[in-house]
Amino acid sequence: ILNVEQSPQSLHVQEGDSTNFTCSFPSSNFYALHWYRWETAKSPEALFVMTLNGDEKKKGRISATLNTKEGYSYLYIKGSQPEDSATYLCAFFTSGTYKYIFGTGTRLKVLA
Amino acid sequence: SAVISQKPSRDICQRGTSLTIQCQVDSQVTMMFWYRQQPGQSLTLIATANQGSEATYESGFVIDKFPISRPNLTFSTLTVSNMSPEDSSIYLCSVEVRQSYNEQFFGPGTRLTVL
């Protein structure tokens, strides 16, 4: 059974703090790793699609890195703001089955 | 990209009843997906709905419990039948964009509570 783990499960930070979370996934049959941001009562929103070992992607204050050989990706948020409060999901897309396997998410709360 | 709407956004239902969730996409898509997120769990794929053919169910999900309709290329429904409290979840529909490594666009979800 393929498993995708995210840590921590939840996180509270102060406004202005920088933070990061981890997504661990199987290192075999890698096709792509997706990060999504999911605010309550809204649609999950795609942040990054990462496909190559060593990929680094950035969107504003949010960035992500990818290590396919060891099977992990980091998501970084610099200078957290209250509007960053959401659940951050990673999804591993496997070339074996061509299906998504989601992690349980990291729930971030940024305190003003 | 795609814009997806779902109805209802939330519902509270009694054990033994059924609920049908609707999913509408603003463009024609071949495949639509139905996911479930139980409390504390990851998003889990229930089934893939193709227009003009029966839905393909993942292991652990059966058509009698989760019948799906796909009458055209922009619409699908998922029914949660004979509900029990274990069916309390968020149900999401999605479509994928193959040109972007299968990036998925999701609806806002239906939050279901079964008493």
Side-chain angles (χ1 to χ4, degrees), chain B residues 60-79:
Chain B
F61 297 97
V62 295
I63 188 171
D64 289 346
K65 175 67 176 176
F66 297 101
I68 287 172
S69 78
R70 184 79 202 274
N72 58 52
L73 290 172
T74 63
F75 187 78
S76 178
T77 67
L78 170 78
T79 299

Side-chain angles (χ1 to χ4, degrees), chain A residues 2 4 23-36 48-53 55 57 65-68 71-73 90-102, chain B residues 96-104:
Chain A
L2 299 177
V4 175
C23 172
S24 301
F25 52 86
S27 55
S28 59
N29 294 326
F30 178 86
Y31 184 74
L33 192 285
H34 297 252
W35 281 100
Y36 291 88
F48 303 114
V49 179
M50 311 189 76
T51 58
L52 298 174
N53 184 44
D55 250 358
K57 296 281 178 80
T65 61
L66 179 68
N67 183 323
T68 58
Y72 64 84
S73 176
C90 69
F92 168 69
F93 198 83
T94 166
S95 61
T97 60
Y98 285 101
K99 288 180 181 173
Y100 270 105
I101 303 167
F102 280 87
Chain B
E96 71 176 9
V97 177
R98 287 191 177 259
Q99 298 89 332
S100 182
Y101 292 91
N102 304 88
E103 175 181 326
Q104 302 235 330

